[in-house]
Amino acid sequence: MRTNSVHPVDERLPAPRLLALGLQHVLVMYAGAIAVPLIVGRALKLDPEHVAMLISADLFCCGLVSIIQSLGFGRWFGIRMPVMMGVTFAAVGPMVAFANVMPGIEGARAIFGAIIGAGIISVLIAPAVSKLLRFFPPVVTGSIIAIIGISLMRVGVGWMLGGPAFLAQRTDVPKLLEMVDKAKAAAAAAAASAPVSLGKIPMIDNPAYGSLSRMAISAAVLVFILLLVKYTRGFLANIAVLLGILAGCVVAAGFGLMHFDKVGKAPWFDIVTPFAFGMPHFDPVMILTMTIVMIVVMIESTGMFLALSDITGKKIGQADLAAGLRTDGLGTIIGGVFNTFPYTSFSQNVGLVGVTGVRSRWVCVAGGGIMLVLGLLPKMGALVEAIPQFVLGGAGMVMFGMVAATGIRILSNVDFNGNRNNLYIVALSIGFGLLPLVAPRWTQHIAHSLHPLLDSGILLTSVVAVLLNLFFNGTNGDTAGAVEAAKKTEAH
């Protein structure tokens, strides 16, 4: 009997099958891949053309970094397993915080500088990251993932309702001017020492905020996704979010609420150029913030790689793991250079390998090639940018809610009965993480340079959870539990 010496991971499939399976991987990750540039681009208040540019750059870099990770690049980069790389949701919170402090092109350049700096540091520290697993037991990882989901839910709700909460009302300027004139007249008639009160600033409800028709479309997208999840299996269930967004676009276009002017004007083909927004700014605090995020991301990637090793039956050693984690850092550098964001392995694609049983890394190389091509088609980026926010709202509730639910699932395996100290770790770390959400201006008396760090609930939770875990449980962490927690992470 003839034995095949080629491991299934290294098997090269026929081209038609390779392309079909690669496209399947692209469809599974597509909704998650386009979500981050949409969130950050709109948080930066960039114009539609620049947001479309971010999307094209993201798709291009997804493909390039996926090829490096799956195919390998020298001895230092690439896990050489079936891995699709995409922008991590873990970095969204800090990037949105940066965008709120410094919107526009300047804010984008500062974000890209922080990403490049964090990527360089990540490449250097990658071999040591796996040794940090003991500092990230399930009680820490679960708290971090839960606060990521909770923080992102604000974005999903904003999509459904028409923007952040402050847009619900606007100042009634004519009435305010009338009140000012009356106050001036009263001040002139009164004694100089008499106090004059202007009264409450008059506000007008924004009729576009919380529009029932748009909320109905968001709800329809959500219901459609839930129906697909309940009544379909396998591939269709895996792309339920993408199909829900497509269905929402059809409904929105039917009611005249989705416009394609920018799609018609966008060219069919264009090159993704580095530093399209200008040279990046390198802020030390922002780089430190993104570096902490990347450490968390690489801890999660460690779990993904170990899970993939189990699924494919191919053992990976310390050198392989270091090469995979280095690629997270290299991908992040590439992202910053090409005007996009930090990259990591997508958990849904790891799950797809288990569902399909196809273990060939060449499938993900093909998927990376497809993403590269999509990134060179500006019409694709313009089409994605044209998706109304309220359509994304229903899908966002699912995507971001699932991130929070994953954190809760990880925490469900934590021993709270035998070790009551874990309750304090979760309670305080999530409590600190909620500070920027419930009190956005809590840092107004703190040095402005620290705001990007303190405005991120994710980083506050990470720091507090790690420190409290060291205080209560010491350094003898549950490494096996940390690996299992990382394997369950779906924060991408």
Side-chain angles (χ1 to χ4, degrees), residues 133-474:
L133 272 175
R134 67 181 185 274
F135 297 110
F136 290 83
V139 68
V140 172
T141 306
S143 299
I144 294 171
I145 302 306
I147 204 66
I148 289 172
I150 293 169
S151 299
L152 291 176
M153 286 297 288
R154 177 176 54 177
V155 175
V157 171
W159 281 350
M160 292 185 73
L161 298 181
F166 67 82
L167 293 180
Q169 291 183 315
R170 60 182 174 84
T171 304
D172 186 342
V173 177
K175 193 168 183 178
L176 179 61
L177 292 175
E178 182 183 338
M179 291 173 61
V180 170
D181 290 338
K182 288 181 178 179
K184 286 180 178 178
S193 60
V196 177
S197 175
L198 184 62
K200 186 177 180 181
I201 295 177
M203 304 296 290
I204 301 176
D205 289 341
N206 177 1
Y209 189 86
S211 165
L212 292 179
S213 60
R214 298 184 179 191
M215 286 176 62
I217 295 176
S218 291
V221 171
L222 176 59
V223 169
F224 186 69
I225 292 171
L226 295 178
L227 290 173
L228 287 174
V229 170
K230 180 174 174 62
Y231 294 110
T232 63
R233 294 289 181 270
F235 178 59
L236 285 178
N238 285 332
I239 62 169
V241 171
L242 179 62
L243 293 177
I245 292 173
L246 292 176
C249 287
V250 171
V251 175
F255 283 100
L257 298 174
M258 183 174 178
H259 306 286
F260 302 94
D261 304 355
K262 299 290 191 303
V263 180
K265 294 177 182 176
W268 280 103
F269 180 83
D270 197 9
I271 300 296
V272 177
T273 55
F275 306 123
F277 289 79
M279 290 304 294
H281 296 161
F282 297 94
D283 181 271
V285 174
M286 293 174 69
I287 291 173
L288 173 62
T289 303
M290 293 305 299
T291 299
I292 295 174
V293 171
M294 285 304 299
I295 290 172
V296 174
V297 165
M298 288 194 288
I299 293 293
E300 296 167 4
S301 293
T302 299
M304 296 299 165
F305 296 148
L306 294 173
L308 202 52
S309 175
D310 292 340
I311 292 169
T312 61
K314 184 174 183 179
K315 296 194 176 195
I316 55 175
Q318 186 66 34
D320 300 313
L321 196 57
L325 296 179
R326 267 194 217 98
T327 307
D328 278 5
L330 177 63
T332 299
I333 297 171
I334 291 172
V337 169
F338 283 95
N339 326 299
T340 183
F341 310 110
Y343 286 87
T344 188
S345 55
F346 258 37
S347 57
Q348 53 264 53
N349 292 88
V350 173
L352 184 60
V353 173
V355 170
T356 63
V358 179
R359 295 178 279 176
S360 172
R361 62 191 172 101
W362 293 95
V363 169
C364 289
V365 173
I370 293 170
M371 296 291 276
L372 269 175
V373 173
L374 291 176
L376 299 174
L377 303 176
K379 280 192 182 295
M380 181 64 65
L383 180 62
V384 172
E385 197 282 328
I387 298 173
Q389 283 194 357
F390 54 86
V391 170
L392 293 171
M397 293 293 283
V398 176
M399 289 190 296
F400 306 149
M402 284 299 292
V403 175
T406 299
I408 295 170
R409 184 177 67 175
I410 293 171
L411 289 174
S412 68
N413 295 319
V414 173
D415 180 14
F416 291 111
N417 293 324
N419 184 355
R420 292 185 68 252
N421 293 333
N422 286 333
L423 288 169
Y424 293 96
I425 296 172
V426 175
L428 291 173
S429 59
I430 291 182
F432 273 91
L434 288 173
L435 271 175
L437 297 181
V438 300
R441 296 186 59 83
W442 79 281
T443 58
Q444 64 182 11
H445 297 299
I446 301 175
H448 190 75
S449 60
L450 296 176
H451 285 195
L453 181 65
L454 299 176
D455 285 338
S456 170
I458 298 166
L459 295 185
L460 288 174
T461 294
S462 302
V463 172
V464 172
V466 169
L467 291 178
L468 286 178
N469 181 63
L470 287 173
F471 175 70
F472 284 120
N473 299 326

